[in-house]
Every structure is written in C-alpha cells, then in structure tokens.
Amino acid sequence: MPRRSRSLEQLLGRTAVATFALTGPAVAADIKLPVKAPYLQPAFDWSGFYIGAHTGYSRGSSGAVLADPVISTATNTFSGMIGGVQAGYNWQMPSGLLFGVEADLTFPNYLPTNHVVLPITTARSAIEERWDYVGTVRGRLGYTTGPWLAYVTGGFAYIGERFVNTASLGEEEKVIHVRTGWTAGAGVEYAFAPHWTARLEYLYSQFGRANIVLPSGAPYSSSLDFQSVRIGLNRKIDWPGAPSLTPKTDITDPESDRWEIHGQTTYLPQGYPAFQAPYTGTNSLTPARQAQATWSNSLYLNARLWDGGELYYNPELLQGFGLSDTVGVAGFPSGEAQKSNFPYPHYNTSRLYVRQTFGFGGGQEELPSGPNQLPGKVDVSRLTIQAGKFSVGDVFDGNAYAKDTRKDFMNWSIWAPGAFDYAADKLGLTYGVTAELNQKRWALRAGYFLIDAVSNSSSFDTNVFRRGEYVVELETRYSLFSQPGKLRTIAWLNSAFSGSYRETLNDPALDLDIALTRTGRIKYGYVINLEQAITEDIGLFGRWSWNDGKTEIMSFTDIDASLSLGTSIKGSKWGRPDDVIGIAGAINALSNDHRDFIAAGGLGPLIGDGALNYRHERILEAYYAYALTKQVTLTADYQFITNPAYNADRGPVHVFSGRLHGEF
C-alpha cells in the first residue's frame, strides 16, 4: 500500500477513537453497523412420493328399485364421519406447475347411520344396502407458491358394497358387489414442516348403476353418488440420493417440538376347539369350534397449544369380530373385540380432547413421550384438567402390569376390573371431564362422564349431571422393600335410565323384557387396584371390584363382583429383557337379582344361555410376548375358562390366541 494511503488510514482510525472517548457510548450506539441478511428458508420441494391419512365428512344419495315380485322404489340420503389413507407421487415444474397421481381408500364410521346407503322393505324382503369402502385413483394438476399448493383432481372411483336381505322366510341373504365410476374435486395443501403437509379437499364421485339378483331371485337396482370434505396429513418420503434426504431422521419425526405422532397396529386372532354344551341360548358361546380375528390401526396426533395446554387426537381403523359375535363369556377373552362387528375397517374418532396442566412449583419430574402423553418437565405438584372424548380407563384404574390388551393380558376381567360398569359406547369410549391433583406420594382424581341412553348402546344420555357417571380415585404411592408400589381405590356412581332385574322378574306380564322397567336409577360400586414390583423384572397385581347388582349393566359386562390376581415377568434372566411372561386368574360372580334374571332366561349385554346352573366364572390366562424388535412383538396366549357365563352345564373352554403388535 502507498505510504500516503497508510497514513490516511491511521489518521482516520485515531479520529474515530478520539470521537468515541469524547462523545461516549450514546453516539456510538447511533452508528449503524452492517446488517446480516435474514435467513431464507428454502422453498418446499413438492416432488416425490408421499403417504398420509385423512378424515372428514361424507354425504351420499341413492335411489333403488326392487321387484319382489311387485315393483317397489325407495330413495335415501346418508352421511357421517369418514377416515382413510392415501399415497401419491408429485412432479413439480420450475414454473410452479405440479402434476401428480394419488390413490386413496376411505372407510365409514362404525355407526350404522353412516354406512347404510338405503333400506327397502317389502312383504317378503327387508333389504339393506351398505357401503364398506370407497377408493379413487386420480390425477392432480396444481400450482405451487412457496409452501402453498392449490390443485384440481379427477379420475377413477370404485365402491365396495354389501346387499343384505332379511327375508320373511329362510336364511339371511348377502351379496358382495363392487361398482365403478368417476370422481372430481379440488383442494389446497400447506407445507408446514420440511417433510409434512396438511390439506383440505373436496371430492364428488358418481357411480354406475348396480344391478344385482338376490339369491331368492329378486332383481335389485340402485344408483349412487357420493360427496366428501376431507382434511389430511401427508408425510413426504425421500428416496436415497434425493437432495432433501436426511438419513438419520425417523419417518415419524414431526420436525417440531410443538407436536408429535405415534401409531400402532394390532392383529389378534382367537379360536377354541369344540366344547360340551347340552343347550345353547341367544347370548351363548357357540359350542362348535370357531376362530375369529380383529385388526386395529391407530394414529395418535398430540400438539402443544400453549404453556400447559395440549390437544390429543386419536383416529382409528377397526376391523374384525369377537368370538360368537362378542357374547357368551362375562370375562370375554379379547379386549380388542368390541361389541360391534366390522367385516371391513371402520373409522372412529376414538379420542379427541384438550388437557391443561397448572403447576404449583417445587420439584419437577420428566413425563415420557407416549400415545396419550407429550413429553416434558412438569411440576410434581400440579392440577391437570382434561375434557373431550376418551375412555374412562385412560385416566382411572391404571396398572403397570395389566392394562393394555394390545400388549399384555387380553381377558376383560384381568385387564380391567370386571364389576366396574364404566360409562362407554360399544367401542369403550365416552365424553367427559376430569381433574387430577398430583403430589409426590399421592394423586386424587375425579371425573364426570356421559352414560348410555339405554343399556349397551352407542348413544349417550344428554341430561347432563342429571344422568351420567361420577368417578373418584385416590392413588397412593409407596415403597416396599425398596420396590415401588401403588394402591388405587375407586368409588363410582351411575345415574342412568336403566331397568331392574327384580322388578322384571316380579311381573310375569313383562316376559323378561327389562326395557319395560327402565327409569332413572342409581347404581354404585368400588374398585381396589394394587400393583407391586418385587424386583426390576417381576411385578404382582390384583384387583377387587364390586357393584350393587340391582340394575342392568349399562356399558361394560355382566359381572357384579370380580377378583383378579397375576404376575408379570420380564425376560432379563434368560437374555430377553424385552420379552414378557404374564400369568393371571380371575373369579367373577353375579348378584342374586342378576343370577335369578339370567336363570329365568333373561339376557344381558354378553350373557344369556336361556337357563343357568350357576357357578362362579373362573378364568386362567397365560401369555408369552416375544419381542421381534423394539417396536414389534409377537404374543402367544392361552385362556382356560370354567363355567362360561356362570353356567356349569357348559364348557370348559380352551381359548388360544396370537397377537402381532407394532408401534412407533
């Protein structure tokens, strides 16, 4: 550098120092420094393969003609919640244009009003047309701008249906049919994370006319169109070598600390060989050998709304049958078998609730991530309020060794207290609000829940607080020989529109129809629930439950008193720390009024052989859960049931089960 330039530079430097010394920081603060250019998030790359799920609302219309032999016509509209899955591939052009292909499969809600397309009745037939699934294969044309995509879509559609005829004479007739058509619609999609998008979409589908002939020879013809509004969640899948590939990122990574996603799938087949039964009634376990299976698929979407506020959404697809249509045993052998039969997957919003936690300071503890729990540190001393749709068992009657039918014991009277007639629809869920005050050594919980409008139904009595279930639970935590234990004591009361066993028996004119004695009644009971660790790998548990047994069962099962005991053993000693052995037994009983009603030929939700040689129902269950991986478990299960439905004239029954469970 020339000498003059260096001297000028030195002079300017000394001047700046002198200026700062004379004017101080106030002037220096006014000097504008170079500003760093803001970080620009790269534009979302829409190109590539994606998978996802959706839920929404559908509405359809149909018109039918039946010749049986006189011509009869009928029209109907049907609607309800839907849910399903989709997958597709996008090509994004430099101009912003997007071309894509997508295939999806959508299923109805489990309520009959959703999947019944059209009923038509004549003197000889009562036909019900039902839809089981709707599928489409579509092209997509859209335009992208930043994280937004607007598109139109159209293509091929198909729908699977069943036509069921309950004829006045003869056996029930059934015809399976698939009809095809076209679909068109539009939607908007938003990329809210590097690999995640959310969408809102409308589709209209029109199908060709169905022309079938019933086994009786009667011709049936119907038209059908179908509309749906759907919200969806998609996860983009990067192929090896893609620019946005992050090999260490799990596919379920939400890429945000504000929400997370979990999921599970469980396939559970059960069967038994033939057993002795001199007579069989309406709600009897079929004495001939049989096998059935259930399959459940669940997502758990958990979001943190604000400090202490959380939202939980659990959509599920449920399919399958319980043994003998889920009747015949009070302690039913599969907790995955619901009181509704689904030959195809049915969608259900199993949980949708908000939770607010108020911390009171002091020490903190870490809550682990789980299907119904966002992770994070919370005050040990806290109050938690929860409101929405969920299961009573989500909050009450926890147990580390016998609680989850998808992972541990399967029998109803072992994974739950048999005499706890908790509020629920046919899938075990209800609407309610709970409050929990937690301290280091104890927790106090209370809740109110809507109860069935009538016994064993999926409609709720909306006379809030006049009808419903009230539950209180005290959980105490202690240490025995340096091993943790918990004792939970539950008291519950049902105010329900229910019938009386004794009043029904005392009036022969009622012909054992307990529905004719229904009025507002009170039912109450209690549960004592114990769990105790013996070592880090061995635990014991037990439950004693009781109810007054004077009024009909509203939601759960025909048990008025139940005792269950068992143990759970991890496989660390034989080098399989993720394997579990479980052994447990249960003894179930009925009240005097209840047993007299069943013996006279009355029916409960699950039992009723037409006669009764009463004995206590006894159940032994043993299982081995073999961990194929950290996320996948294969279970072999055996149950020995003596006096099924309290009837010494029937059985014993040997139930063999398998279970394949995967989770993330």
Side-chain angles (χ1 to χ4, degrees):
M1 179 183 292
R3 184 179 301 271
R4 174 185 286 182
S5 298
R6 186 179 296 115
S7 299
L8 179 60
E9 188 179 84
Q10 292 171 350
L11 176 61
L12 291 174
R14 294 190 187 103
T15 302
V17 173
T19 301
F20 181 84
L22 290 173
T23 60
V27 175
D30 292 333
I31 300 175
K32 295 185 180 295
L33 298 176
V35 178
K36 184 178 180 180
Y39 171 73
L40 298 178
Q41 182 178 358
F44 185 81
D45 181 9
W46 292 89
S47 294
F49 180 71
Y50 62 89
I51 58 173
H54 62 265
T55 184
Y57 187 80
S58 70
R59 181 178 177 84
S61 61
S62 177
V65 178
L66 172 66
D68 190 30
V70 179
I71 300 295
S72 299
T73 62
T75 60
N76 188 50
T77 59
F78 57 97
S79 60
M81 296 294 294
I82 54 174
V85 294
Q86 70 268 353
Y89 194 91
N90 291 324
W91 293 270
Q92 182 181 6
M93 304 293 105
S95 63
L97 284 176
L98 179 139
F99 300 93
V101 292
E102 180 174 298
D104 62 33
L105 204 55
T106 301
F107 303 97
N109 187 274
Y110 78 99
L111 296 173
T113 53
N114 188 183
H115 65 258
V116 174
V117 173
L118 187 145
I120 184 170
T121 303
T122 67
R124 300 198 310 178
S125 302
I127 297 176
E128 198 171 74
E129 181 179 348
R130 307 169 187 169
W131 73 278
D132 293 315
Y133 57 87
V134 170
T136 70
V137 179
R138 297 173 281 112
R140 295 206 304 166
L141 173 63
Y143 181 77
T144 65
T145 173
W148 290 95
L149 165 66
Y151 63 91
V152 293
T153 182
F156 173 75
Y158 58 96
I159 185 168
E161 296 179 285
R162 281 175 296 142
F163 300 84
V164 181
N165 181 22
T166 306
S168 57
L169 297 174
E171 297 182 354
E172 181 181 83
E173 300 176 340
K174 181 170 63 175
V175 175
I176 305 297
H177 183 263
V178 177
R179 68 169 103 186
T180 60
W182 59 267
T183 185
V188 61
E189 195 162 349
Y190 177 72
F192 62 89
H195 291 84
W196 294 92
T197 65
R199 70 162 59 161
L200 175 65
E201 182 178 64
Y202 167 80
L203 288 179
Y204 173 82
S205 302
Q206 189 173 87
F207 299 95
R209 196 165 190 88
N211 297 293
I212 66 168
V213 177
L214 298 168
S216 61
Y220 177 95
S221 177
S222 70
S223 62
L224 177 62
D225 63 54
F226 191 84
Q227 302 179 68
S228 62
V229 176
R230 318 189 302 191
I231 57 174
L233 181 69
N234 288 327
R235 209 292 184 180
K236 184 183 171 187
I237 309 298
D238 291 325
W239 297 109
S244 55
L245 177 66
T246 51
K248 295 183 179 179
T249 300
D250 188 270
I251 191 173
T252 61
D253 182 2
E255 302 170 330
S256 169
D257 60 358
R258 303 295 300 178
W259 72 287
E260 66 179 15
I261 180 170
H262 295 272
Q264 75 84 33
T265 182
T266 302
Y267 179 69
L268 199 161
Q270 283 192 324
Y272 57 77
F275 63 89
Q276 180 181 358
Y279 53 87
T280 296
T282 302
N283 280 1
S284 291
L285 199 66
T286 303
R289 66 180 183 180
Q290 67 164 313
Q292 297 288 357
T294 58
W295 184 29
S296 66
N297 297 274
S298 316
L299 286 178
Y300 302 87
L301 305 175
N302 311 333
R304 185 169 283 107
L305 304 176
W306 52 74
D307 186 21
E310 299 164 350
L311 174 67
Y312 293 85
Y313 170 46
N314 169 213
E316 293 192 301
L317 291 176
L318 308 171
Q319 179 183 2
F321 298 85
L323 296 169
S324 293
D325 292 337
T326 318
V327 297
V329 186
F332 198 77
S334 172
E336 281 284 88
Q338 314 296 342
K339 297 175 185 176
S340 298
N341 297 322
F342 305 140
Y344 292 90
H346 279 55
Y347 166 80
N348 189 52
T349 300
S350 293
R351 289 165 183 84
L352 181 60
Y353 60 88
V354 293
R355 178 186 294 161
Q356 178 67 50
T357 301
F358 302 94
F360 300 139
Q364 290 192 318
E365 63 179 343
E366 184 77 24
L367 296 180
S369 173
N372 293 310
Q373 180 61 64
L374 281 165
K377 286 187 176 182
V378 295
D379 293 344
V380 173
S381 178
R382 63 184 182 272
L383 175 65
T384 303
I385 308 294
Q386 182 168 306
K389 183 181 183 182
F390 50 96
S391 171
V392 174
D394 290 348
V395 178
F396 299 91
D397 187 56
N399 194 288
Y401 307 114
K403 184 63 178 178
D404 189 346
T405 63
R406 293 166 176 171
K407 299 172 72 173
D408 49 62
F409 293 96
M410 302 178 187
N411 191 276
W412 287 22
S413 55
I414 295 177
W415 65 260
F420 184 10
D421 190 16
Y422 62 88
D425 60 12
K426 287 190 174 184
L427 300 184
L429 303 154
T430 183
Y431 298 87
V433 57
T434 64
E436 176 187 290
L437 178 61
N438 187 79
Q439 299 295 312
K440 185 176 182 180
R441 293 296 182 185
W442 57 270
L444 180 64
R445 305 179 182 98
Y448 166 79
F449 301 91
L450 295 184
I451 203 163
D452 293 10
V454 295
S455 173
N456 193 32
S457 70
S458 289
S459 59
F460 293 100
D461 195 323
T462 55
N463 291 292
V464 179
F465 300 124
R466 182 183 173 206
R467 299 275 190 263
E469 180 173 73
Y470 298 86
V471 188
V472 177
E473 178 183 80
L474 175 64
E475 175 185 303
T476 56
R477 306 163 187 139
Y478 61 89
S479 181
L480 182 64
F481 302 114
S482 300
Q483 294 295 330
K486 294 180 181 179
L487 176 65
R488 299 176 179 90
T489 304
I490 300 173
W492 57 272
L493 181 146
N494 290 350
S495 175
F497 185 71
S498 60
S500 164
Y501 297 126
R502 188 54 59 187
E503 288 183 19
T504 305
L505 287 167
N506 289 343
D507 189 347
L510 299 180
D511 194 25
L512 294 177
D513 187 355
I514 197 170
L516 299 177
T517 68
R518 285 173 179 164
T519 187
R521 300 181 189 273
I522 298 296
K523 184 174 187 173
Y524 57 88
Y526 64 84
V527 179
I528 298 174
N529 176 337
L530 175 70
E531 64 176 75
Q532 177 62 57
I534 304 303
T535 68
E536 291 186 358
D537 295 325
I538 302 175
L540 301 177
F541 69 91
R543 288 186 178 94
W544 164 250
S545 57
W546 175 92
N547 69 62
D548 62 6
K550 299 181 182 298
T551 58
E552 62 182 324
I553 299 296
M554 291 302 296
S555 304
F556 193 42
T557 188
D558 298 83
I559 299 175
D560 300 316
S562 178
L563 174 66
S564 62
L565 299 169
T567 182
S568 178
I569 306 168
K570 293 183 179 179
S572 300
K573 292 294 185 181
W574 56 92
R576 300 283 307 173
D578 295 322
D579 290 5
V580 179
I581 290 178
I583 304 172
I587 301 175
N588 303 320
L590 295 178
S591 68
N592 290 333
D593 288 358
H594 199 167
R595 75 177 68 164
D596 290 347
F597 175 75
I598 297 298
L603 300 177
L606 265 70
I607 67 172
D609 295 326
L612 182 65
N613 180 11
Y614 180 79
R615 296 290 190 279
H616 289 165
E617 185 179 79
R618 294 181 171 87
I619 298 166
L620 173 68
E621 180 176 3
Y623 74 85
Y624 188 100
Y626 182 85
L628 299 174
T629 69
K630 286 286 186 181
Q631 290 79 33
V632 181
T633 304
L634 181 63
T635 301
D637 183 279
Y638 167 71
Q639 297 177 54
F640 179 68
I641 303 174
T642 305
N643 309 324
Y646 310 98
N647 200 339
D649 291 342
R650 298 170 55 83
V653 184
H654 302 268
V655 180
F656 299 90
S657 309
R659 179 176 58 200
L660 181 62
H661 172 76
E663 61 182 32
F664 60 84

